[in-house]
Amino acid sequence: MLRSISALLACCLFPLSGAAESILDQVTIAADSIVQEQSGETLNASGKVKIDWQNYTMFADRVEYSDKLRSALASGRVILIRADDILTADTLKIGLDSRLGSATNGTLRTTEGNLRVKGALIEKTGDDQYRMANGSFTSCDSDPPSWKFTAGELDLTVEGLASGRDVVFSVAEIPVFYTPYLLFPVKRERQSGFLFPRLGSSTKKGFYADFPFYWAVSPSAEALFDLDFQIKRGVGTGVQAAWLGRGGSHGDVIAYTIYDTVLSRERAEIGARIKEGVASGTDVNVDLHLASDRSFFRDFSEASGDYNRQALDSSLSMTKRWQSWYLAGETRILNDLDSTENQRTLQRLPELTLTGISRRLGALPLFAGIDSRLTNFYRREGVIGQRFAVQPSVAYYADLPEGLALSGWGGYRQRFYHASAGQGEGEKESGLAVAGASGAASFSRLYEAQGKELKRIRHIITPSLDYSFVQEKDQGNLPFFDYDDRVIGQNLVSWSLANSVTGRFDTPTGAEYLELVNLRLSQGYQLSGGRRELLNPADEHRRFTDIRLEAVVRPLKMLAIETDSRFSPYRAEVTGSAVAATLNDGKGNEAGIGYRRIAGALDYLEGNLTVNLLPPLVFQYTGRYSFDRRDFLEKYFAVEYRHQCWSIALSYRDRPDNREILVNFALAGIGGLGKVKVF
């Protein structure tokens, strides 16, 4: 039925001012006037025309609709709406089923990526694909926009890619860049395309420019390529790639190389972290990090803590898990960046571990297990050889009422050696008895709170007593590979007192639980033997260990204070301390300060600050100050201006041997820029 009877009557009786409506196979047309041609296949609607079909709505002054072709030709203030996406045009021809068509003098606005596309001619060639002649693209709401791309021809896939010919990039209507062809992503998510170059200047590199290209290989893989021009050092190339596989497999790799014109040689870095499941219960793991020389990171690294690396650790391992057994094989290579004699650095090539998981022995609360490890030690200079250590053990867990715990364990650690080229050459062996016990009790109480949000508080206090025994034995005849070859005998009793305070808050979304206090105080007493503590070595006059305080306190939801400190009862001083406080309001403002001190080893203060109180400006600061050196280890300042459709960040980094200025620029809807971690 081409027209409803009500629409026919309205059309005939009230052609100028009346309302007309027609339903055509789920196409609804409403207008001031609807006229049907004699063929019965075409409707002409005029005056406040509205057409609804599927998830589309179109408004226009005039519409010619063909039922046979299932198409509409609209003119005069045309508006096409799908969800929150809007197309406006002077004229629009569209197939209602194919949803393909063309518009003249059109403007497309999308919510995804906040895209704003204009064109003298816009053709819809696919569900989310458009082609434009004399078109422009931006994500700015302002008119005129802060930035835009214009092109003689522009192909655009919403939530995808845009490619253009004769492309001009303009800032505030001023052309600043031209290219005969350009391909770029049109949203912030994973899309292939060029990112904007990163510009900077540093003491070591001089002026530099980095040109990155991001490749979305697949839904589970991606890569970032870099071309890095440095005035003082040369031209570098880099790649970062990451992927996700089945069964928890994943990986990421990095590689960077540059011919350093200052040193007249090639310099490079290679890194990889890969986990691959090769069979049920079997994994292969690669953790690789190599550099061509010891000073590579000091010259080229930008991340805090990277530029002063002390060592590079690489390993290749395979693990196999059964119900009651665990087998692992690992090859590990250590590169000591602080040593000029890396040929004496000990390597484990390879190390095999076999563990028998504790299993219950009959009906008794006894559990038996075994740990074993075979290690081949190698270095170019110094003692080398093999060590096999095996330790069977039995553990007891008492069946006590809730809140009480009592356990004990005992075992025998046997080591076998074959060594050459140094101390302890030949075949050696040594066995040690080891044992331990632990007892604890937990007491809790619930309190009602009168706070606006805080309704209940639960306090749990747990005192515990532990005992550790290692047989004292002379091991001077054994080769020395690491400290596992010089196990210190001990007879140590230790106590601890743990406190936990948890609060229940009533929020609009329901109950929320937050740990307000977690505090643990502990100390040990050496009945006999010794212990390996560099800061407080045990002797016959110093049987007590340092008092240790570990705590996390949250007096406010936005404030967390942490500490891990040690106090010597003999010297009446703090021998080691790590204290940190973090304040975060959840609105982009954050402040943190931390202090770390180990007597005779290190003493420094670090802090960070992010201020978002003066939009559109965001300020950042990070600094580390060494009290023993009486100088800053690093200072970092950054200010970012965030506009609705673009942002620019200026940063300054100051290290003892390098000063660097960096400019980052980003366009909303286009993606970030520079050497970024995209995974």
Side-chain angles (χ1 to χ4, degrees):
M1 184 175 183
L2 293 177
R3 305 172 59 192
S4 66
I5 295 177
S6 61
L8 176 61
L9 293 176
C11 171
C12 297
L13 297 177
F14 307 101
L16 296 179
S17 60
E21 181 176 296
S22 180
I23 302 176
L24 305 167
D25 297 337
Q26 299 181 345
V27 177
T28 301
I29 303 176
D32 290 341
S33 173
I34 298 178
V35 178
Q36 178 183 355
E37 293 186 357
Q38 292 183 352
S39 63
E41 296 179 350
T42 303
L43 292 178
N44 289 297
S46 61
K48 298 180 181 178
V49 183
K50 179 184 178 183
I51 302 180
D52 290 294
W53 77 98
Q54 297 178 15
N55 58 342
Y56 284 82
T57 298
M58 183 169 66
F59 300 91
D61 292 337
R62 296 170 299 279
V63 173
E64 179 182 301
Y65 173 77
S66 171
D67 183 58
K68 181 179 180 180
L69 300 177
R70 299 279 291 178
S71 66
L73 175 61
S75 60
R77 294 179 297 180
V78 181
I79 301 175
L80 179 64
I81 301 174
R82 186 189 69 168
D84 294 326
D85 299 337
I86 301 175
L87 172 68
T88 61
D90 290 345
T91 64
L92 172 64
K93 182 177 181 180
I94 185 170
L96 274 61
D97 293 332
S98 67
R99 293 172 288 186
L100 306 181
S102 62
T104 59
N105 296 324
T107 299
L108 173 66
R109 301 166 62 93
T110 74
T111 54
E112 181 66 33
N114 199 47
L115 304 181
R116 303 292 184 264
V117 182
K118 292 183 178 181
L121 175 65
I122 300 179
E123 295 180 277
K124 192 170 188 293
T125 59
D127 190 32
D128 287 310
Q129 296 176 329
Y130 297 86
R131 177 175 297 148
M132 279 146 283
N134 298 322
S136 67
F137 158 75
T138 185
S139 62
C140 298
D141 289 333
S142 58
D143 190 14
S146 300
W147 63 266
K148 69 177 180 179
F149 287 96
T150 59
E153 295 181 13
L154 186 66
D155 290 303
L156 169 70
T157 299
V158 177
E159 304 180 24
L161 293 174
S163 62
R165 290 176 173 80
D166 295 326
V167 179
V168 176
F169 176 65
S170 301
V171 176
E173 297 295 305
I174 300 174
V176 297
F177 175 77
Y178 167 81
T179 178
Y181 180 79
L182 184 64
L183 176 69
F184 51 89
V186 292
K187 69 171 187 175
R188 299 180 74 92
E189 271 71 27
R190 302 174 64 257
Q191 295 293 334
S192 300
F194 286 99
L195 303 180
F196 275 84
R198 173 185 74 152
L199 306 176
S201 178
S202 74
T203 306
K204 290 189 173 183
K205 300 177 183 178
F207 176 80
Y208 62 88
D210 183 84
F211 298 90
F213 177 83
Y214 176 70
W215 180 23
V217 182
S218 71
S220 58
E222 56 194 354
L224 181 70
F225 301 90
D226 283 283
L227 188 60
D228 188 15
F229 294 91
Q230 302 178 20
I231 294 297
K232 288 187 176 181
R233 312 306 290 250
V235 179
T237 56
V239 61
Q240 301 178 38
W243 64 91
L244 295 174
R246 296 179 179 178
S249 297
H250 58 84
D252 62 82
V253 297
I254 62 170
Y256 180 83
T257 181
I258 184 172
Y259 183 82
D260 192 339
T261 55
V262 174
L263 300 180
S264 299
R265 60 186 173 90
E266 196 75 27
R267 306 180 71 184
E269 172 197 10
I270 299 175
R273 290 184 179 179
I274 302 171
K275 178 182 178 180
E276 189 67 33
V278 295
S280 177
T282 305
D283 296 327
V284 173
N285 295 272
V286 176
D287 192 346
L288 177 68
H289 208 170
L290 303 174
S292 56
D293 56 88
R294 292 180 174 82
S295 59
F296 177 88
F297 297 100
R298 191 169 297 276
D299 290 339
F300 297 104
S301 178
E302 298 169 359
S304 296
D306 237 9
Y307 76 100
N308 57 353
R309 276 180 175 268
Q310 296 177 325
L312 294 179
D313 198 355
S314 298
S315 64
L316 171 64
S317 64
M318 175 178 287
T319 60
K320 175 64 178 178
R321 297 175 297 277
W322 295 274
Q323 183 176 359
S324 302
W325 292 90
Y326 171 85
L327 175 64
E330 180 182 64
T331 294
R332 182 173 296 274
I333 298 177
L334 180 66
N335 185 8
D336 189 349
L337 299 180
D338 281 347
S339 174
T340 58
E341 299 180 350
N342 199 55
Q343 63 270 22
R344 300 187 64 85
T345 302
L346 194 67
Q347 314 293 348
R348 288 167 167 79
L349 306 172
E351 187 170 76
L352 301 177
T353 300
L354 178 63
T355 300
I357 301 172
S358 294
R359 302 188 66 179
R360 188 161 185 155
L361 301 176
L364 297 175
L366 292 175
F367 297 81
I370 187 170
D371 294 298
S372 60
R373 179 169 296 176
L374 173 63
T375 308
N376 178 60
F377 295 101
Y378 173 78
R379 52 189 156 196
R380 284 175 287 179
E381 294 183 13
V383 59
I384 60 174
Q386 296 79 41
R387 179 181 68 204
F388 176 64
V390 59
Q391 180 177 312
S393 59
V394 177
Y396 166 80
Y397 298 93
D399 186 9
L400 299 176
E402 184 178 356
L404 300 177
L406 179 65
S407 63
W409 65 275
Y412 191 79
R413 183 178 184 183
Q414 181 68 45
R415 291 164 295 165
F416 300 93
Y417 293 88
H418 173 75
S420 60
Q423 178 185 357
E425 285 187 296
E427 310 289 338
K428 307 288 183 180
E429 62 88 18
S430 178
L432 298 170
V434 292
S438 177
S442 293
F443 307 94
S444 66
R445 186 170 181 179
L446 190 64
Y447 301 90
E448 297 294 330
Q450 303 300 322
K452 184 177 180 180
E453 294 184 352
L454 181 60
K455 299 302 180 183
R456 288 183 178 181
I457 296 176
R458 179 180 293 276
H459 179 209
I460 302 175
I461 182 170
T462 306
S464 64
L465 189 66
D466 296 278
Y467 172 72
S468 175
F469 169 80
V470 178
Q471 180 184 355
E472 292 187 65
K473 195 171 186 179
D474 183 14
Q475 302 159 73
N477 66 323
L478 301 178
F480 182 76
F481 298 118
D482 56 29
Y483 282 110
D484 286 341
D485 301 316
R486 297 295 184 269
V487 180
I488 295 178
Q490 66 175 211
N491 214 350
L492 179 69
V493 176
S494 59
W495 62 267
S496 68
L497 183 64
N499 281 268
S500 175
V501 179
T502 303
R504 171 181 167 169
F505 297 82
D506 286 348
T507 66
T509 58
E512 179 181 330
Y513 295 88
L514 180 67
E515 190 173 51
L516 305 176
V517 177
N518 190 329
L519 182 149
R520 184 175 185 269
L521 195 66
S522 61
Q523 188 186 27
Y525 180 78
Q526 197 81 42
L527 298 173
S528 63
R531 59 185 181 273
R532 183 170 288 117
E533 293 186 16
L534 299 179
L535 302 180
N536 187 21
D539 58 37
E540 59 182 359
H541 302 295
R542 292 183 175 181
R543 293 297 182 183
F544 283 102
T545 69
D546 286 350
I547 300 172
R548 184 178 183 184
L549 173 63
E550 303 165 89
V552 178
V553 181
R554 294 182 177 87
L556 302 170
K557 280 188 176 181
M558 64 177 65
L559 176 63
I561 302 172
E562 302 180 50
T563 185
D564 185 355
S565 301
R566 300 168 186 262
F567 179 83
S568 171
Y570 298 103
R571 290 181 281 176
E573 67 177 17
V574 177
T575 57
S577 180
V579 182
T582 303
L583 184 66
N584 191 324
D585 66 353
K587 300 178 181 178
N589 300 291
E590 181 177 347
I593 188 169
Y595 174 70
R596 185 171 180 83
R597 177 180 178 272
I598 298 178
L602 57 87
D603 188 5
Y604 72 87
L605 180 73
E606 61 182 346
N608 66 278
L609 178 67
T610 300
V611 179
N612 192 28
L613 296 175
L614 301 172
L617 294 176
V618 179
F619 301 90
Q620 288 183 302
Y621 168 78
T622 301
R624 292 193 297 158
Y625 181 83
S626 173
F627 289 99
D628 48 357
R629 297 184 183 182
R630 297 191 178 186
D631 195 7
F632 277 92
L633 300 174
E634 182 177 29
K635 290 182 287 185
Y636 175 80
F637 304 88
V639 57
E640 182 179 7
Y641 177 87
R642 296 178 179 175
H643 189 270
Q644 176 265 325
C645 59
W646 59 274
S647 68
I648 186 170
L650 176 66
S651 63
Y652 171 73
R653 191 186 302 274
D654 187 353
R655 293 171 177 165
D657 60 348
N658 187 41
R659 293 178 176 85
E660 184 175 58
I661 296 175
L662 180 64
V663 178
N664 279 349
F665 185 65
L667 302 179
I670 297 294
L673 60 120
K675 190 181 293 182
V676 296
K677 289 187 176 180
V678 295
F679 31 82

